[in-house]
Amino acid sequence: MLTYTSGRNLFGKLTNNEESANLTLGDTLINESIRAIVRSKPWPFLFKTNTNTINTVASQQFYTLPHDVEQVVAITITVGGTIYHAKAAPSREFWNKLNEYTNSSTLPEWFFVFNGQVGFYPTPSAASNAITISYKRRIFDLAIADYTTGNISSIAITAIAVTGSGTTWTAKMGGRYLRITDSDTANTGDGAWYEISSVSSATALALRPTYAGATIAAGSAAYTIGQVSVLPEQYQELPIYRACQIYFTSIQPDATRARMYADMVAQGMNDMKQELSSNDTNPVIEDTGRSRINANLYISATA
């Protein structure tokens, strides 16, 4: 993985300028490059389903969407082991018309997204039915330095629970990645990156998927927690190369270097398209066409 810290350091080395002001410029160019790459195609890695459980609540119509939803693709509700697809309300007017009549059911037929929430009609009448949301995720800027304070004292092979010592982990580290430093000695990690699914205390967090390295017990292993881009690991250098292309085109003009990095970006983009492109922009199999719903839409009193 190329973390925020390692990415900006690489930019400094490639531009032969590791001063703070240049690294800050690199932050802007790298984040803009990530967005440009993401905009170029509906990449499969942009789509996901909610990882945190959302359940229906009897008589509750509206539910908060995951924080990283950009566009809702599809929603299903599981009732008694059977998965049911809700249909997207085609317009706010249609949604308002539906809600002129109060109705409830265990099987909501329609959903409507606005202001970071999703509403169902009929209103769910039963509790604890799982809501699964398939969506395109938002892209957040990389801006958080690697965290390496303290050490890893324990984690078991095939487990997800990690215990730290001298650490001050916080809930906001969920979604970042952790790597326990590898070495030939006992009670060290496997050097692989694992997503942090949640942080329960300053010294306890959970991974996703399970840990594949050797068990650490009463250890003091070095580690890194890093913020990484949405791009697949093998292509995380592309935004750095594109940032360098822009740098040597306009900031410090150097036609030879600008062309070199442009070629590296073009080759990397071509490789990524061949490996990851899909003819279907919607990774969810559905029996009817459904449009994507922008999660940031909201009702305006004057509209």
Side-chain angles (χ1 to χ4, degrees), residues 42-44 47 277-286 292:
W43 303 102
F47 297 88
S277 288
S278 170
N279 293 327
D280 182 7
T281 61
N282 182 349
V284 179
I285 299 174
E286 305 179 61
R292 297 175 193 158

Side-chain angles (χ1 to χ4, degrees), residues 56-100:
T56 59
V57 176
S59 302
Q60 178 177 316
Q61 186 172 34
F62 297 99
Y63 300 81
T64 300
L65 291 167
H67 78 286
D68 60 343
V69 171
E70 178 178 291
Q71 292 177 315
V72 173
V73 176
I75 295 181
T76 63
I77 298 177
T78 303
V79 180
T82 302
I83 299 174
Y84 298 90
H85 286 264
K87 294 176 291 188
S91 68
R92 192 183 66 192
E93 290 72 20
F94 180 90
W95 175 253
N96 290 343
K97 194 71 175 177
L98 285 175
N99 282 275
E100 288 178 359

Side-chain angles (χ1 to χ4, degrees), residues 124-285:
S125 61
S128 302
N129 290 325
I131 300 170
T132 300
I133 303 169
S134 300
Y135 62 93
K136 180 182 178 183
R137 53 182 164 172
R138 294 169 57 195
I139 304 303
F140 299 97
D141 284 348
L142 302 182
I144 302 174
D146 291 355
Y147 184 89
T148 58
T149 300
N151 51 61
I152 304 299
S153 57
S154 67
I155 182 172
I157 186 172
T158 72
I160 63 172
V162 183
T163 301
S165 175
T167 57
T168 53
W169 297 333
T170 67
K172 294 190 71 174
M173 291 179 177
R176 296 180 210 168
Y177 283 76
L178 176 141
R179 178 184 63 189
I180 306 174
T181 304
D182 190 11
S183 77
D184 292 331
T185 61
N187 285 317
T188 56
D190 62 356
W193 289 95
Y194 297 86
E195 185 178 5
I196 299 172
S197 62
S198 63
V199 178
S200 55
S201 76
T203 58
L205 59 77
L207 303 179
R208 180 174 48 234
T210 57
Y211 181 63
T215 293
I216 298 174
S220 57
Y223 74 97
T224 299
I225 290 177
Q227 186 185 33
V228 303
S229 80
V230 70
L231 299 176
E233 182 174 359
Q234 65 269 37
Y235 297 109
Q236 287 175 353
E237 294 88 352
L238 281 180
I240 316 300
Y241 297 155
R242 187 179 183 277
C244 289
Q245 176 192 347
I246 296 171
Y247 183 88
F248 287 118
T249 299
S250 57
I251 310 300
Q252 292 291 333
D254 183 324
T256 300
R257 290 188 176 185
R259 172 48 54 192
M260 177 183 72
Y261 286 113
D263 290 344
M264 293 169 70
V265 172
Q267 182 61 56
M269 289 295 294
N270 183 64
D271 291 344
M272 189 162 70
K273 288 176 181 177
Q274 290 190 31
E275 180 179 354
L276 301 174
S277 288
S278 170
N279 293 327
D280 182 7
T281 61
N282 182 349
V284 179
I285 299 174

Side-chain angles (χ1 to χ4, degrees), residues 29-49:
L29 296 178
I30 292 166
N31 282 315
E32 188 280 328
S33 294
I34 292 172
R35 295 180 188 280
I37 292 169
V38 165
R39 288 195 303 267
S40 65
K41 286 186 71 66
W43 303 102
F45 56 78
L46 294 178
F47 297 88
K48 61 181 291 189
T49 58

Side-chain angles (χ1 to χ4, degrees), residues 4 18 94 105 199 293:
Y4 162 76
E18 298 181 66
F94 180 90
S105 172
V199 178
I293 309 299

